[in-house]
Amino acid sequence: MALMRAVVFKGVGQIVVEDKPVPQILEPTDVIMKVELAGICGSDLHWFRGHQKISPNFIPGHEFVGSVHSVGDAVRKFQQGDHVVSPFTAQCGECFYCRRKQTSRCDKSLLFGNRSHGIGIDGGQAEYVRVPFADTTLVHSPQTVRSELLVLMSDIFPTGYFCAARFLKDMSREEAQESVVVVVGCGPVGICAIASALTWCPTVYAIDMVPGRLAEAQKMGAKPLRVDENPESAIKEATNGRGADVVLEVVGTQEAMQLSLSMVRPFGHISSVGVCMGDYTFSGPELHGKNATIAWGRCPVRGIFEESLECLARVQSQVAFLCGLHMALEDAPRAYEMFNQRKAHKIILKF
Amino acid sequence: MALMRAVVFKGVGQIVVEDKPVPQILEPTDVIMKVELAGICGSDLHWFRGHQKISPNFIPGHEFVGSVHSVGDAVRKFQQGDHVVSPFTAQCGECFYCRRKQTSRCDKSLLFGNRSHGIGIDGGQAEYVRVPFADTTLVHSPQTVRSELLVLMSDIFPTGYFCAARFLKDMSREEAQESVVVVVGCGPVGICAIASALTWCPTVYAIDMVPGRLAEAQKMGAKPLRVDENPESAIKEATNGRGADVVLEVVGTQEAMQLSLSMVRPFGHISSVGVCMGDYTFSGPELHGKNATIAWGRCPVRGIFEESLECLARVQSQVAFLCGLHMALEDAPRAYEMFNQRKAHKIILKF
């Protein structure tokens, strides 16, 4: 049996690199990919830290790019050697949701590198990975974006774009120009949301508690606000007391959502991609009194791949700093530790 | 001082009819209206029952039609004798919100017949009522709807229409034809929401616990479901296990909202006009996992008056039964008691 090196989750806070069998074609629609770059994502910390209960001994990684190593008999669009990007889910391309580009809710959806959802499969932090439904999952590596940034297209750039686009892309140009947008949370997804929002709206505020993150948001053209310095009153001041037209919530906590609701103007919109593990509690009179509209949920990466790629092509130089730190696969345990201690925006494992 | 007869709230459960001064023009933009018909609305029960704390000695009534009795010097669009309808709010017509037709959040918004919001003014359950900002509040009584139904245009028909239109009116014809809509709550606003929804979508389910209400919803063309007979599983069955595309929530309780969330499909929409006095609690993973979009809030009656009137003109024969019970102004105490005991859909005081 051919072996490969792979990152393996052994339990809360425990990551090792060990030998695993090279995955094989199981279905005729599978591709086996040879991985070149694989990202560690903020959502990987959910199970690494034990906030998300998950059984051990799986290969993590839902952000990966590489080349096609072998193809199943039914694969039509890819052949050996093709350079490809994978979204963080695999999808059938045929069901009710896939036909509507709502691919994150595909009836047969599979999630790379996370066993907690009952739909998890081994991920891409390994030399090889099996990609089911390859024709409706993989994308040929585009030429418009620098290759070392393509790993952003598996999850965080489309997710930030999705968060921003949900209520901004259908605005008239005039309305977008006049709108005030606030992004709550300036981690990597927040940075991608800010970059996307700025392509529609010149006025984007960025809220975080980490000064370094705020400095980066500011460099991109956002107006930084510290979460502990009453950002609500700053937003009210900037809008004649009304509040923001659109708030992008990228944190996923009760506090972040309540802050978003406090800052949004009546008839405004909140777009949330933050993953909250607990409950949200909201005041009924506040929601009614604000005429609030709130949208939650997971980004359908494959469904919006093309439009979010177009956006990344425009803003790639602004978000390139997210991909600044490469480490070797064998260094994965140290990489997770560094990432857990917030010593890097993002770490990319290189093969 | 000229006197008139008026309904007056004296405390929880206490309604009297007594002499009050006829209101006078206070601002040049005022109209004094002579009331002909005034409705009692479900939301009047909030303060009548004491669920909404409110100081006594005000004249209730936010649904009223009649004729112009006198006009202030700055009123341009109305003259003595004109037949008019009033929305349940008065609005300036000039502010940020009014320019966007979001009139329920007008900077100078005034609310007829409800003192609890700090913006309340005396209402229309009286022989005369003062209407501020008359040019941007009142509407000439239209000819397209039977005059005895026009009182529906003050609040409940536009509110039901608003609830339905929020996510249905921008659908393509094909999408609307294929969509499954569920209305939670078949009180008078729910009936108006059902009638409106049916103008776009042939498949509308109606949920309530009162068999008589469900029978009326069914007569209109909706499919009735009892709330205590697992409506969720009926909706799942009707949609290949997916859930409803759009849920219209017209109750305003945690239970009704949780039921709505349980029934809506991933990437579906919930439109809520129910007024919840307490908190809502939602599961973060459920909201994220459903990719739910929820919109709350008060109907901007004046902003959508024309489009909702067009809809009422089409469905008036279906909702006419809501206006079946007329009582004399002097009978108001008995009318409130009957309404409180749910012995009528709606009671209209006649002058």
Side-chain angles (χ1 to χ4, degrees):
Chain A
M1 186 196 297
L3 294 177
M4 66 173 183
R5 297 294 284 169
V7 176
V8 179
F9 173 67
K10 290 291 183 183
V12 174
Q14 294 175 57
I15 285 290
V16 301
V17 179
E18 62 184 27
D19 287 340
K20 283 278 194 179
V22 170
Q24 305 296 310
I25 299 280
L26 299 181
E27 302 286 340
T29 48
D30 287 352
V31 150
I32 305 299
M33 240 177 98
K34 184 163 183 4
V35 180
E36 289 165 7
L37 300 172
I40 304 178
C41 177
S43 62
D44 289 326
L45 295 178
H46 293 161
W47 46 260
F48 181 80
R49 291 173 174 170
H51 299 164
Q52 194 179 27
K53 301 296 167 213
I54 200 165
S55 26
N57 286 312
F58 67 93
I59 302 175
H62 57 265
E63 304 178 339
F64 50 94
V65 302
S67 60
V68 172
H69 175 68
S70 59
V71 300
D73 291 341
V75 173
R76 294 283 165 269
K77 297 189 182 160
F78 299 95
Q79 51 190 357
Q80 202 187 353
D82 284 356
H83 283 271
V84 289
V85 186
S86 177
F88 72 92
T89 57
Q91 48 276 315
C92 74
E94 296 173 348
C95 71
F96 178 91
Y97 296 104
C98 284
R99 290 198 309 271
R100 284 161 179 75
K101 299 193 169 192
Q102 296 166 346
T103 51
S104 48
R105 301 298 159 204
C106 166
D107 286 341
K108 298 177 179 170
S109 187
L110 297 166
L111 188 61
F112 288 106
N114 184 333
R115 287 281 177 77
S116 74
H117 295 270
I119 56 171
I121 54 176
D122 276 338
Q125 291 174 7
E127 291 181 275
Y128 297 91
V129 58
R130 183 177 74 91
V131 178
F133 305 122
D135 277 342
T136 48
T137 296
L138 293 174
V139 181
H140 284 101
S141 292
Q143 304 296 311
T144 50
V145 167
R146 281 149 52 190
S147 63
E148 71 271 25
L149 303 186
L150 282 178
V151 74
L152 296 178
M153 284 303 298
S154 292
D155 179 353
I156 70 167
F157 193 83
T159 295
Y161 172 86
F162 172 66
C163 187
R166 204 145 42 171
F167 295 119
L168 297 180
K169 79 171 179 178
D170 292 331
M171 279 188 181
S172 70
R173 199 182 143 76
E174 191 193 340
E175 195 185 353
Q177 287 287 317
E178 287 174 358
S179 287
V180 171
V181 177
V182 179
V183 180
V184 179
C186 299
V189 176
I191 292 292
C192 295
I194 291 168
S196 301
L198 282 165
T199 65
W200 287 289
C201 302
T203 312
V204 175
Y205 286 83
I207 298 181
D208 206 292
M209 57 183 176
V210 182
R213 288 178 166 187
L214 287 173
E216 275 143 7
Q218 187 169 22
K219 228 182 287 171
M220 297 168 67
K223 300 173 196 294
L225 292 173
R226 281 184 62 119
V227 70
D228 53 355
E229 288 176 357
N230 200 350
E232 192 188 336
S233 81
I235 296 300
K236 288 272 159 75
E237 228 168 85
T239 54
N240 274 325
R242 284 194 302 270
D245 298 284
V246 176
V247 179
L248 311 181
E249 194 283 315
V250 192
V251 180
T253 60
Q254 167 75 28
E255 294 67 31
M257 189 56 93
Q258 183 56 53
L259 176 62
S260 302
L261 189 55
S262 307
M263 290 187 303
V264 79
R265 74 164 171 89
F267 281 95
H269 293 78
I270 301 173
S271 173
S272 167
V273 293
V275 182
C276 173
M277 298 290 169
D279 286 347
Y280 287 119
T281 299
F282 302 113
S283 146
E286 185 173 13
L287 289 169
H288 186 79
K290 277 261 169 120
N291 278 72
T293 298
I294 312 181
W296 285 267
R298 174 184 293 167
C299 173
V301 172
R302 189 62 191 86
I304 64 162
F305 197 92
E306 286 75 12
E307 58 182 286
S308 57
L309 179 73
E310 240 174 77
C311 185
L312 178 57
R314 291 174 61 186
V315 303
Q316 57 187 313
S317 63
Q318 288 173 59
V319 299
F321 73 93
L322 294 175
C323 296
L325 183 55
H326 287 200
M327 294 175 73
L329 175 65
E330 298 295 331
D331 282 337
R334 196 164 58 88
Y336 268 85
E337 209 38 67
M338 283 176 61
F339 193 57
N340 185 35
Q341 291 165 24
R342 295 194 175 184
K343 290 188 178 158
H345 303 293
K346 183 157 207 73
I347 297 179
I348 296 171
L349 302 174
K350 201 169 177 172
F351 295 74
Chain B
M1 189 197 294
L3 295 179
M4 67 173 183
R5 298 294 284 169
V7 176
V8 179
F9 173 68
K10 290 293 182 182
V12 173
Q14 294 174 58
I15 285 290
V16 300
V17 179
E18 62 183 27
D19 286 341
K20 282 277 194 179
V22 170
Q24 305 296 312
I25 299 281
L26 300 180
E27 301 287 339
T29 49
D30 287 352
V31 150
I32 304 301
M33 239 179 99
K34 184 159 182 9
V35 181
E36 289 165 9
L37 299 172
I40 303 177
C41 176
S43 62
D44 289 325
L45 294 178
H46 293 160
W47 47 259
F48 181 79
R49 291 173 174 170
H51 301 162
Q52 193 180 28
K53 302 295 166 213
I54 200 167
S55 26
N57 285 313
F58 67 92
I59 301 174
H62 57 267
E63 304 178 339
F64 51 93
V65 301
S67 61
V68 172
H69 175 68
S70 59
V71 300
D73 291 342
V75 174
R76 295 281 165 271
K77 295 188 184 161
F78 299 94
Q79 51 190 0
Q80 203 188 352
D82 285 356
H83 282 270
V84 289
V85 186
S86 177
F88 72 92
T89 57
Q91 48 275 315
C92 74
E94 295 173 347
C95 71
F96 178 91
Y97 296 103
C98 283
R99 290 197 310 270
R100 283 161 180 76
K101 299 194 170 193
Q102 297 166 345
T103 50
S104 47
R105 301 300 159 203
C106 166
D107 286 341
K108 297 177 180 171
S109 186
L110 298 166
L111 188 61
F112 288 105
N114 184 332
R115 287 280 177 76
S116 75
H117 295 270
I119 57 169
I121 53 175
D122 277 337
Q125 292 173 7
E127 290 182 275
Y128 297 91
V129 57
R130 184 176 74 92
V131 178
F133 306 122
D135 277 342
T136 50
T137 297
L138 293 175
V139 181
H140 284 100
S141 293
Q143 304 295 311
T144 51
V145 167
R146 279 148 55 190
S147 62
E148 71 271 24
L149 303 185
L150 282 177
V151 74
L152 297 177
M153 286 301 300
S154 292
D155 179 353
I156 71 167
F157 192 83
T159 296
Y161 171 87
F162 172 67
C163 187
R166 204 144 43 171
F167 296 118
L168 297 180
K169 79 172 179 176
D170 293 331
M171 280 187 180
S172 70
R173 199 183 142 75
E174 190 193 341
E175 195 185 352
Q177 287 287 316
E178 287 173 359
S179 288
V180 171
V181 178
V182 179
V183 180
V184 180
C186 299
V189 175
I191 291 293
C192 295
I194 291 168
S196 302
L198 282 165
T199 66
W200 287 290
C201 302
T203 312
V204 175
Y205 286 83
I207 297 181
D208 205 293
M209 57 182 175
V210 182
R213 288 177 167 187
L214 287 174
E216 275 143 9
Q218 188 169 21
K219 227 181 288 171
M220 297 167 67
K223 299 172 198 294
L225 293 173
R226 280 183 62 119
V227 70
D228 53 355
E229 289 176 357
N230 200 350
E232 193 189 335
S233 82
I235 296 299
K236 289 271 158 76
E237 228 169 86
T239 55
N240 274 324
R242 283 194 304 272
D245 298 284
V246 176
V247 179
L248 311 182
E249 193 284 314
V250 193
V251 179
T253 60
Q254 168 74 28
E255 293 70 30
M257 189 57 93
Q258 184 56 53
L259 175 63
S260 302
L261 189 55
S262 308
M263 289 187 302
V264 79
R265 74 164 172 89
F267 281 97
H269 293 78
I270 301 173
S271 173
S272 166
V273 293
V275 183
C276 173
M277 299 289 168
D279 285 347
Y280 288 118
T281 299
F282 301 114
S283 146
E286 185 173 14
L287 289 169
H288 186 77
K290 278 261 170 123
N291 278 74
T293 298
I294 312 181
W296 285 268
R298 175 183 292 168
C299 173
V301 173
R302 188 63 191 86
I304 63 162
F305 196 93
E306 285 76 11
E307 59 182 285
S308 56
L309 179 72
E310 241 173 76
C311 186
L312 178 56
R314 290 176 59 188
V315 303
Q316 56 187 314
S317 63
Q318 287 172 61
V319 299
F321 74 92
L322 294 175
C323 296
L325 183 56
H326 287 201
M327 294 175 72
L329 175 65
E330 297 296 331
D331 282 337
R334 196 162 61 89
Y336 268 84
E337 209 38 66
M338 282 176 62
F339 193 58
N340 185 36
Q341 292 166 22
R342 294 192 176 186
K343 292 189 178 158
H345 303 293
K346 184 156 206 74
I347 298 179
I348 296 171
L349 302 174
K350 199 166 179 177
F351 295 73

